[in-house]
Structures are given as C-alpha cells and as structure tokens.
Amino acid sequence: MNLFSTLHRFTVVPSLPKELAGLQRIAYNLWWTWEPEAIGLFKRLDPELWRTTRHNPLEMLGSLQQATYESLMLDEGFMSHLCHVEERLNEYLATRTWYERHGNPRARIAYFSMEFGLHESLPIYSGGLGILAGDHLKSASDLGLPLVGVGLLYRQGYFRQYLNLEGWQQEIYPENDFYNLPLALERDADGNPLAFEVEYPGRTVHVQIWRVIVGRVRLFLLDTNLEENAPADREITTRLYGGDQEMRIRQEILLGIGGVRALRLLGVEPNVCHMNEGHAAFLALERIRLLMEERSLTFGEAMEAVRGGNVFTTHTPVEAGIDHFPPELLERYLGQYYRRLGLSREQFMALGMQNHGRNNENFCMAVLAMKLSLHSNGVSELHGTVSRRMWADVWPDLPEEQLPLTYVTNGVHQKSWLSEEMSGLLTRYLGTRWIEQSDDALWRKVTRIPDAELWRTHRRGTERLVDYARNSLKTQLQKLDASTKEIDRAGDVLDPEILTVGFARRFATYKRGTLLLHDKERLERILNHPERPVQIVFAGKAHPADHQGKELIRQIVQLSKEEKFRRRILFLEDYDISVARRLVQGVDIWLNTPLRPLEASGTSGMKAAFNGGLNMSILDGWWCEGYRGNNGWAIGRGEVYDDLTYQNEVESRAIYDLLEKEIVPLFYNRGSDGVPRGWTAFMKTSMETLCPVFSTHRMVQEYTRRCYLPAFEHWERLNRDDLRLAVELARWKERLHGVWGGLSIVAVEATCAREVTVGERVPISVQITPGEVPLSEIAVEVYFGVLDSRGSIVGGEVVPLAPAPDPERAGHFGGELECRFCGRHGFLLRVMPRHPELGTVYDPGLILWG
C-alpha cells in the first residue's frame, strides 16, 4: 500500500496575537528588505534566530514561542517600534509617486526574467542578472510604475557553495520551503489554488502561481511541482539553470508562454512586455497567438500589433552566452504550436535565425526577441556597440551604427545596498531627496560632508566585514573538522585598519579571478608591507559544470593557506546577496578584471561606490562611462591584445603599479587626526559622479521614457479602432514586399568640388523610378559622414531628402549635406518605405541602397 496516496495535508502558520499581526503584514511585503527600521524590527525579535534563518522573518515568526509573543506585547519599546514601521509602510504605499507625475496611467508593464534576486531569504537567483531584476522591481515600486514581474519559483533554486579542505567548490541544493517564504498561492473565489496548463510534447503540464509583494509591485512565480504532473515535469521548476538543453527549453516555454497565460488568468493584461534576456522570448509568440485567435488575424497582422509593445534587453556580449536550440528540439516542443500560428517550419525557424539559410544555424532566443520587439538594448554604452556588431546580420541592410539596438546602462537599488550608517550620513547632509532622485546637483552636496565623518562611517563597514569574515572562516573550518588551533587562528585573519580590496563575482574564466595573483612574490611584498599592508577578500561561485572556474577558486584558497598570505587573503564561501552586501559596504577598493569587452555592464562596483568604496577596474562595461580619472582607477586604457598571456602579464603589472605607486600611498597618507584627506577626496568625487547616474531609479526612469512609454504609445496606436492600423501595416508591408523589386535609383548627383570647406553645404539631387510603389510611400535619405581608413562611414547621420514640388519632376528628390568636420567624407543613398501614419518604417528586404 502506498501510504502517500492517502496522506492528508495542511499548512501550519504562525499564531500571532492581533496586536502583533502587523509583523506578518510587514514580513510578506519585501519593502522591509530595503527599509533599515523594518530590518531592525525583525532583528530585535531574536538576533541569533535572525542570523540562523538567513534573515527570513516568516521562518523566524514560525519558530518563536508563544511566550515570546506575550513578552513582546508587554514591551512598550518594541510595540512602539512595530507601530512606527507599520506607519512607514502605509505612508510608503500611499505616497504620490514619480510615475503618477510623469507616466501614462493607461500603460501596464510586465517584466519577465528567469531569476529575481530580491533578498537572501528568497533564494531563486544565481547572480548579476537576477539581482538586477530584483533591483529593477524595487525601483519600479519606489517610482510607482504600473509593473508586475513574472518568473519561476525554483524548489532548489541555485546551489549553495562550500569548499573542501583542498579548496574545491562543492555544491548542495537545499529545498526551499515555500510555506516559510514570503510567498502566497494565488487562489480563486473558493480558496482553491489558481492553476492553468502548458502544452509539452504528448502531454499538458499543470502550473500554479505564487505571489510575492515587493512594495507596490507584484511578482508572480510559476511552479510545476504538482502531484498531477509526471515526475519529469515536476522537475521543470526544480533548479535555476540546471539540466540540459531540453530542460532549458521546457523552462523557457513555461516562462514565456506560461507567463502570459498566468497573467491572463489573474486578470492582468499588460500592453508592454519587457524581456530581461532572451529566456522569455516565447512570450511574444503567445501574445501573437492570443491576438490571432481573439481577433481572427493572420500571423503578420497580429505580429505588428504585438511587436510594438515588446521591449528586449540583452545582457551578454558573446553569442555563446545566449540560448540556442537545434531545429529538431524546436520541432518536437513547438511544432504543433507554430503550425497553429499558420507558419511553416521554414518561416518559424527564420524568426530565430540571424542569417536564414546559413548551414547549421540553430534557433537563437535573443534573435527571436529582437525580431519581435520594438525596442532592444544592451546594458552599457560599450555593450550597445558590441551588441550591434554581434547582431548585425539580424538587420543586414543597415550600417552597424544605425541598427535599432541601443543601450540603457544598468544601475543598483541604492537603499538595498547602502549600510545603515552611510544612509544616515547621506540623509543628514543631502536631505531625503537623494533616495528617489538621480540629481547631479543634489549629489554635489557630498562635498559638504566632513572628511572625518565620511571616513569613520566607512571604517565601521570595514570593521563589520572583518568581524563577519572571521566568524565565517571559523564556521567553515568547524564544518571541515579542522583542529582547534586552526579555528582559533581564524580570529586574527584580516585587520579592520588596513587597506581592503574586494573581488567578488561569478568565477567565469573571462573575469580573471586570479589575475591579482599573477606575480606572487610582488603580491606578497605589497600585502605584507611593514608600514602599509593590504588585504584581499574574495568571494564567488563557479558554475557546477565550469571546472576551470572551480580551479581558479582552488588556487586562491590554497594561496590563502600559506603562512605569508594567511592573514592577508581570504575566500568567503557561499557568495549570495547577504555576503555581497557586507563586502560592498566594507571594502576600500572594488577590483574588477574582466577581459574587455566581455563584461556587458557589471553592477557590484556601483554598490561599492554608494558606500564610499573606490573602483579599480579594466575599462569595460559600466566603468567606461563611470571613470573620470579622479574617482577611481582604470587598469590600462582599454587595450585588447591578441595574446592572452601577454595581456594578463601587462594588466597584472598595471594592477601592482597602481597599488604600489598610487592607491596604497594615498590610503596611508594621513593627517594628524588619522584621516587620509586625499583618499576622502577621491571618495567624495566617486560618490558625486557615480551615485546619481548608476542607480536603478535612473535606469527605470530611462526605460520608462525611452522604451515603456514609446512602446505603449506605439502599441495603443496599432491596437485602437479594432487593430485597424496593425492590420493595415501588415498588409501594407506584404504589398510592398511584392512590388519593391521594381523600384530603382536612376541618378545621384552631388554638386561640389573635390575639396569642400568646413561649413559649406553640398547640394544633392536624386532621381528614382518608383515602379508600382506610390511616391507618397517612399522615403529617400542620405547616410552621410566621415570615412575611416577602410572607406567606411563612421558616426554617420541620416539626412532626409524632399520630393521635388514640381509635378513634372515626379521621382526627383533633393537636399543639402552640411560639412561640419574636416576629413574624408562619403555618403550613401537609401530608399525606404514611408507609412502615411507611422513615418519611415524599416523591414528586412524593404531597403534600397545607391
């Protein structure tokens, strides 16, 4: 007999007196994770239990004894604290927001991501992508955006890391107890869990929906771990980035197609969908399918209506980092689906291919997302350039710099990463507006902070980091059954008074976690200088399958055990949000050593900057925009060498030179009061120049102005009047594709001498034969600019040409090119379609160069 077939289940929840009910309300809204007074309230319940539950207030409330609750109700100080935090939450939720003043109330945004890093107590994230998504939701809440998040709820999430005696990374996957996390099942009117189905080959999979409240924002997480599902399908939401390609496509079908269905079931109908990486790209197909079925549209007509309301962000500068699926896997999982869309196999596969027809090209999720989105962007200025180069074949008829792929540089949610002391210091000297506003003038007030006060505030963060690191090392050694002597010696590693360098990130080989160890003898002299010592704290995880990354970690751990490095190098195991928070609040220097241009953006150095830490980094990702020369240090000048060994040698020497000649002397050059004035000047300049720019408040405002609101307006125009314009646009494009080949350029004339003086205008005259394309539907433009050594236009601009007013000169266009720069110039003529309501429209195949 199977005992589990008759198992009766029920859920036990904390029994809180009504006087303490506010604790549960606060615990279920992750607003508390960035509100120091709320964190202090939970910590006050039981500091040790707060630590052992990994700062999980739900688990802690369930562990407290009834007697504890009774004593709390008699504690006037605690009850006053609880009342104050409740009032703060109520005030937060009721406050008029930035979006209410600047946004459109009709816009509704859904943000899809494979992972969300909101807090260590909700471990459904792996690293930077997830933490960025979590910070995005927090700023969306602070700013009042009408946004919901959509993701997956992983039973085991990402792995927990521990190190064996030799320093090799080991992985464990503890189960997430959903009923002790800040989650709630979405239920129907009868109290039953809401559920829906997603089709997979030969079966349907049942999915339920969990809700997380993040301030004003709701995050919906999908879960397939249901008894009615087959064991293999229950595994879909077991691990983040676990399994093979087949598991990955299952997860991405669930996120994209299932995510759209979940929102409809909940009555949430977004008109703008933001794909945070290509994992969620199938959502565009589901939106198209629904529109086709509801409005009896063709695929092309529905696609035009949907594409206007999609936004896509890519986070990787290498195509290998994007999900690609072989055609046979797509056919097995989505064959019936795309046939329902009225597409042939060739048409469907073309949606995910850069260069359709190229042999052995797999289906790329990023390409699908770009082709079905109105707005696509990278995550830093450099990454935008790299992305346009990487995806140039998606738009083969456009020059690289004209590709519709821009950038929105990442940021961080400042209150989530700031130490309480630094937050208080900023409020004292900047007021409270710095919390919500990315205002350069406001942050210039940092210069008013007394040097000694800024310095000592940051040192408290270093003291906490060192204390935490020592305790962590002791715990780590105890688990490994180390000797009492070894455990006792852990109490003298690191020193809160000396220069502290931090390096913490995913241990992928391109991030070069051991570059600092290149010359161990020189490093030893720097770290153990008798008067000006330095120490380094490392942390980070390697992917379970990345043996090279694991080897880098092992090398660092082995070095840290050598007597000459024992007190100066430490590797903190199990890097997560909690560890990251302590590091960015405590280090003096944040070190970043990626191979340029492989760091798309990076955000950890931004977090350090908010806490007064200074950056020393390769000029890659966000640091290309952040570096000013007096607010941190650049390793090299952005050089890229063909020989990696040589590059490592050059850049490791540059690090040692910077430490020995600039950084260490500046840190230890103290005044009579022990304060390094030169160093605090760098701290202030760093905060003044970086903090107003590299926050998710600025980032989300930029997405709103440049992507969300334009996407909504475009979507609204296409969808009004029973989708009249979307249908018309699709049919118009179809008609143009049939006649565009009959259009030709007859003559192009530029009236100028061989040499033109700066400021002179060059008349341009063009004659075209439109064939069957109406002249009113043709845009004639000149792409004009300075030529590089290869004869290519660099930094070109588009100059529209006007049709001749004389009816007898039909097909003639003219204009002028203004020569504003010296040097060799060139121009190209291009002819594109012009829609009577939407203006110039680019569609692959509908462009003529001459």
Side-chain angles (χ1 to χ4, degrees):
M1 175 182 176
N2 183 357
L3 293 177
F4 292 100
S5 64
T6 57
L7 182 66
H8 300 280
R9 295 173 172 83
F10 56 91
T11 303
V12 178
V13 298
S15 175
L16 292 177
K18 63 179 182 179
E19 293 86 350
L20 297 174
L23 283 171
Q24 203 158 4
R25 177 179 175 239
I26 297 165
Y28 273 104
N29 189 325
L30 292 183
W31 163 85
W32 69 261
T33 63
W34 68 90
E35 179 51 54
E37 291 188 76
I39 295 169
L41 177 71
F42 290 125
K43 189 174 182 180
R44 186 171 178 172
L45 289 168
D46 187 326
E48 180 58 23
L49 190 58
W50 178 245
R51 185 186 66 81
T52 57
T53 59
R54 292 171 64 85
H55 312 145
N56 181 347
L58 266 299
E59 185 178 348
M60 188 168 65
L61 290 174
S63 303
L64 292 174
Q65 300 297 316
Q66 206 65 33
T68 304
Y69 291 136
E70 291 170 4
S71 66
L72 288 172
M73 287 189 293
L74 298 174
D75 184 338
E76 291 185 14
F78 180 83
M79 295 304 294
S80 175
H81 192 171
L82 170 58
C83 182
H84 176 66
V85 172
E86 269 203 285
E87 288 174 356
R88 289 292 301 272
L89 176 56
N90 292 334
E91 179 184 316
Y92 174 84
L93 296 175
T95 301
R96 181 171 165 80
T97 65
W98 173 86
Y99 188 86
E100 287 177 291
R101 297 189 297 271
H102 301 282
N104 189 319
R106 297 191 304 279
R108 298 180 301 278
I109 306 151
Y111 180 89
F112 288 69
S113 181
M114 189 68 101
E115 52 174 307
F116 286 90
L118 290 157
H119 189 257
E120 59 268 23
S121 64
L122 188 58
I124 55 169
Y125 63 93
S126 70
L129 178 74
I131 291 173
L132 176 80
D135 281 9
H136 193 114
L137 294 195
K138 293 172 184 177
S139 278
S141 170
D142 288 343
L143 297 169
L145 268 69
L147 179 146
V148 298
V150 181
L152 305 185
L153 182 59
Y154 303 100
R155 198 172 79 245
Q156 295 178 348
Y158 205 55
F159 69 90
R160 299 281 302 278
Q161 176 199 59
Y162 72 95
L163 306 174
N164 67 16
L165 281 168
E166 287 75 38
W168 285 107
Q169 172 182 290
Q170 309 293 306
E171 299 93 24
I172 53 174
Y173 292 87
E175 295 271 332
N176 284 327
D177 178 3
F178 296 166
Y179 295 92
N180 272 316
L181 293 177
L183 312 163
L185 266 175
E186 289 289 353
R187 299 180 183 274
D188 61 21
D190 297 323
N192 301 312
L194 281 176
F196 63 95
E197 296 178 346
V198 176
E199 299 79 21
Y200 288 93
R203 80 272 189 201
T204 58
V205 174
H206 301 271
V207 187
Q208 63 185 7
I209 310 165
W210 296 79
R211 179 184 67 252
V212 180
I213 301 174
V214 187
R216 300 179 177 91
V217 165
R218 292 172 297 164
L219 167 63
F220 299 110
L221 300 172
L222 311 183
D223 170 25
T224 66
N225 185 28
L226 306 177
E227 289 182 356
E228 51 265 47
N229 288 331
D233 294 328
R234 296 182 69 168
E235 294 295 310
I236 294 173
T237 53
T238 294
R239 291 181 182 175
L240 171 61
Y241 306 139
D244 55 12
Q245 273 196 316
E246 190 156 356
M247 177 57 76
R248 183 62 69 86
I249 197 171
R250 290 178 191 169
Q251 290 183 332
E252 296 188 5
I253 288 171
L254 177 62
L255 176 63
I257 296 174
V260 172
R261 293 181 185 179
L263 292 180
R264 285 176 66 84
L265 182 62
L266 293 164
V268 179
E269 296 191 16
N271 35 46
V272 176
C273 288
H274 186 169
M275 297 169 251
N276 189 39
E277 251 317 337
H279 310 126
F282 290 138
L283 75 82
L285 296 177
E286 180 67 1
R287 296 184 78 193
I288 291 169
R289 183 191 69 81
L290 290 168
L291 210 52
M292 290 175 67
E293 293 181 0
E294 292 170 359
R295 303 293 185 91
S296 299
L297 302 177
T298 66
F299 179 86
E301 292 165 351
M303 182 179 70
E304 293 298 342
V306 166
R307 179 161 53 186
N310 285 340
V311 176
F312 168 60
T313 297
T314 177
H315 290 262
T316 179
V318 289
E319 195 171 347
I322 298 286
D323 284 329
H324 294 74
F325 296 119
E328 56 272 17
L329 192 63
L330 265 294
E331 179 63 36
R332 182 145 53 89
Y333 274 87
L334 290 164
Q336 288 187 344
Y337 187 91
Y338 73 67
R339 281 187 280 275
R340 286 173 65 188
L341 298 175
L343 299 177
S344 67
R345 176 187 169 104
E346 184 179 14
Q347 288 171 323
F348 176 66
M349 293 303 299
L351 291 173
M353 292 184 173
Q354 281 205 72
N355 188 354
H356 186 52
R358 186 166 57 193
N359 291 334
N360 302 318
E361 184 175 357
N362 286 334
F363 189 96
C364 176
M365 295 298 285
V367 172
L368 176 66
M370 281 184 276
K371 287 186 176 181
L372 298 183
S373 296
L374 180 67
H375 297 274
S376 297
N377 67 275
V379 288
S380 70
E381 184 176 11
L382 176 61
H383 182 230
T385 301
V386 171
S387 296
R388 286 190 292 276
R389 191 172 305 135
M390 186 166 74
W391 302 116
D393 285 350
V394 177
W395 299 278
D397 297 327
L398 290 178
E400 184 180 296
E401 57 197 31
Q402 291 286 309
L403 299 183
L405 205 168
T406 59
Y407 73 94
V408 177
T409 303
N410 284 344
V412 299
H413 185 254
Q414 56 262 48
K415 284 200 73 177
S416 292
W417 300 101
L418 266 176
S419 71
E420 189 172 353
E421 295 91 343
M422 188 62 75
S423 179
L425 181 68
L426 291 173
T427 298
R428 282 199 299 279
Y429 289 94
L430 277 65
T432 57
R433 290 191 303 120
W434 67 269
I435 298 170
E436 292 191 3
Q437 294 189 14
S438 302
D439 186 329
D440 289 355
L442 192 64
W443 279 94
R444 281 196 286 273
K445 295 181 182 178
V446 166
T447 57
R448 302 178 184 177
I449 301 174
D451 291 349
E453 202 169 345
L454 178 61
W455 172 249
R456 288 175 186 132
T457 298
H458 182 69
R459 292 326 303 161
R460 283 193 285 274
T462 309
E463 290 164 7
R464 278 198 310 276
L465 171 61
V466 169
D467 185 57
Y468 171 78
R470 289 170 176 173
N471 290 330
S472 295
L473 181 58
K474 286 180 181 179
T475 302
Q476 184 178 331
L477 292 171
Q478 287 165 351
K479 290 177 185 175
L480 296 173
D481 294 324
S483 67
T484 303
K485 181 181 177 182
E486 284 181 287
I487 295 170
D488 288 343
R489 292 206 317 167
D492 66 358
V493 300
L494 306 183
D495 183 333
E497 298 302 321
I498 71 178
L499 175 63
T500 305
V501 177
F503 182 98
R505 51 195 26 89
R506 181 165 54 90
F507 265 77
T509 50
Y510 80 86
K511 293 178 182 284
R512 297 189 292 177
T514 56
L515 187 64
L516 189 57
L517 317 182
H518 198 73
D519 184 340
K520 295 183 180 64
E521 291 184 5
R522 190 172 179 187
L523 179 64
E524 194 269 333
R525 292 196 298 272
I526 293 171
L527 300 190
N528 291 313
H529 190 283
E531 297 169 359
R532 302 182 305 193
V534 179
Q535 60 197 7
I536 313 165
V537 184
F538 289 94
K541 296 176 178 178
H543 188 278
D546 184 359
H547 297 291
Q548 288 181 301
K550 290 181 178 182
E551 168 61 20
L552 297 178
I553 293 173
R554 188 196 67 82
Q555 290 176 22
I556 294 168
V557 174
Q558 287 293 327
L559 191 70
S560 72
K561 292 182 176 182
E562 294 183 20
E563 187 57 34
K564 59 187 175 183
F565 293 113
R566 184 186 66 80
R567 297 180 64 237
R568 296 289 181 255
I569 297 178
L570 177 66
F571 191 98
L572 286 172
E573 67 178 11
D574 202 22
Y575 185 47
D576 67 357
I577 287 176
S578 177
V579 175
R581 195 184 301 115
R582 295 175 188 276
L583 280 165
V584 299
Q585 291 175 6
V587 299
D588 300 300
I589 291 289
W590 194 263
L591 177 65
N592 191 26
T593 55
L595 276 171
R596 178 186 165 108
L598 300 184
E599 184 81 279
S601 175
T603 58
S604 52
M606 304 174 190
K607 297 160 191 160
F610 272 96
N611 285 284
L614 299 178
N615 280 272
M616 173 169 58
S617 176
I618 299 292
L619 283 170
D620 197 10
W622 78 281
W623 193 231
C624 297
E625 299 164 58
Y627 177 62
R628 295 288 183 275
N630 60 350
N631 62 351
W633 291 270
I635 302 166
R637 298 179 181 176
E639 302 92 344
V640 176
Y641 301 95
D642 293 331
D643 186 337
L644 177 57
T645 301
Y646 179 71
Q647 180 145 1
N648 289 342
E649 176 68 30
V650 168
E651 291 178 343
S652 64
R653 284 205 308 266
I655 295 172
Y656 299 138
D657 286 344
L658 284 172
L659 286 169
E660 290 174 330
K661 298 174 183 177
E662 297 186 37
I663 296 172
V664 173
L666 191 68
F667 182 86
Y668 285 103
N669 184 10
R670 309 289 172 90
S672 57
D673 57 357
V675 176
R677 307 289 170 189
W679 188 271
T680 53
F682 259 68
M683 290 172 71
K684 289 178 181 180
T685 305
S686 169
M687 297 175 80
E688 179 186 340
T689 56
L690 304 180
C691 293
V693 180
F694 298 102
S695 75
T696 41
H697 278 34
R698 185 273 313 155
M699 181 191 82
V700 170
Q701 287 171 341
E702 197 170 337
Y703 272 117
T704 301
R705 293 187 180 111
R706 290 177 47 196
C707 302
Y708 297 159
L709 293 180
F712 165 70
E713 289 161 7
H714 195 79
W715 175 91
E716 193 173 49
R717 290 178 69 191
L718 291 170
N719 282 266
R720 67 166 62 110
D721 299 332
D722 201 29
L723 289 103
R724 176 193 62 80
L725 187 56
V727 171
E728 181 187 308
L729 178 61
R731 294 174 181 175
W732 179 75
K733 284 185 178 180
E734 186 177 358
R735 175 174 59 81
L736 281 183
H737 275 285
V739 299
W740 194 257
L743 188 152
S744 63
I745 299 170
V746 177
V748 180
E749 295 181 6
T751 308
C752 66
R754 295 180 65 88
E755 293 185 350
V756 178
T757 58
V758 172
E760 192 173 337
R761 293 178 180 270
V762 176
I764 297 290
S765 175
V766 174
Q767 182 183 353
I768 67 168
T769 299
E772 296 181 49
V773 183
L775 283 170
S776 62
E777 296 179 6
I778 294 173
V780 180
E781 302 169 337
V782 171
Y783 181 60
F784 166 66
V786 177
L787 300 179
D788 65 12
S789 59
R790 296 171 298 176
S792 300
I793 296 173
V794 179
E797 61 178 305
V798 174
V799 180
L801 301 183
D806 184 353
E808 294 184 4
R809 289 175 53 79
H812 286 77
F813 292 77
E816 292 182 329
L817 306 182
E818 183 181 358
C819 301
R820 297 193 298 271
F821 307 101
C822 291
R824 186 74 173 158
H825 284 63
F827 70 89
L828 290 168
L829 182 74
R830 74 181 185 193
V831 182
M832 298 175 69
R834 188 208 312 276
H835 189 274
E837 292 187 51
L838 297 173
T840 304
V841 173
Y842 171 73
D843 201 64
L846 295 180
I847 187 168
L848 179 65
W849 291 92

